Amino acid sequence: MTDLNVADATTASPAKPATKPARPYFSSGPCAKPPGWDAAKLATDSLGRSHRSKIGKLRLQYAIDLMRELLGLPDTHRIGIVPGSDTGAFEMAMWTMLGARGVTMLAWESFGEGWVTDAVKQLKIDPTVIRADYGQLPDLTQVDWSTDVLFTWNGTTSGVRVPNGDWIPADREGLSFADATSAVFAYDLPWDKIDVATFSWQKVLGGEGAHGVLILGPRAVERLESYTPAWPLPKVFRLVSKGALAEGVFKGETINTPSMLAVEDAIFSLEWAKSLGEGGLIARSAANAAALDEIVAARDWLGHLATDEASRSKTSVCLTVAGADEAFIKAMAGALEKEGAAFDVAGYRDAPPGLRIWCGATVDTADIVALGPWLDWAYATAKSA
């Protein structure tokens, strides 16, 4: 740790702010529950019933219909609820569709690097990898769209996102695979530019983990029905039956048994999101990110890991702390948690030492504003320790 002034024994402890965030939940996954959430408010008629019962299928289909409506997803795209959270959904896409042509992978944070590892070591393919350091975005003009292209739309561990879909050509030959787990519902995504997208309810919706969502455009469906991978597929990855897409997966007939409690929890979040009106989730995320920007701008010891505002995340916002090492960040986060002022704000373990504040739609802007003085207190407390 460098450049941190250590107070002497006579230095008084910094004063605690008078007001705490009402809901101090700033984890980047699982994320804060929607305002007003209460377990007692969840519908329970589907619990204890088979997911293949009439009510089970109806509730699963209802969740899919709500997602389609809120995302403005065209009828050409399928939505499936799959096991394994976003990781399971993205692995399913990789294992079922890669290998038909060359592959380009973009990696600028931990999960992007994870997909590279799986492609090389598990699938034994030799992708072109375009990398950038944490806080930076790769040169998108280098991408060869005659290949399949895999990338994270919003890097949860780096706070860096692609600014839009303009870099994805309409006449691409390869498929675009977007790990969009901390982007879906927070941005207006160009679905005509995305052939495969994956996400988890646990991010912007504040739902539970364990289940992922797989969105397939028509070009992805065509790939699945015309190409058979060289490697064997586990049962939970199989999306094709007798040469045709298993359409039931995209109508609520899940491959394996889902948690209907998690489904009901997701439905609660989706209905809350619908109550906000069109663009409501996007607007809340943007307001939260703007409030955090003001906090950062007012403090010379705080900064954004993503220095380019155009590619800076509005959900998983990653911050630098002047002179801080891992121990200092741990001290700050620990002090905040002990006071009940902010939970789970330390940066991701593989990222440079810093803070990570979730600004997704389920967080209230007033709580972001209230967090600012507590960050001052935690910084001063860690310095004086």
Side-chain angles (χ1 to χ4, degrees), residues 146-165:
S146 68
T147 66
D148 292 333
V149 179
L150 286 70
F151 64 99
T152 51
W153 194 281
N154 186 106
T156 311
T157 67
S158 70
V160 175
R161 66 183 174 96
V162 294
N164 50 51

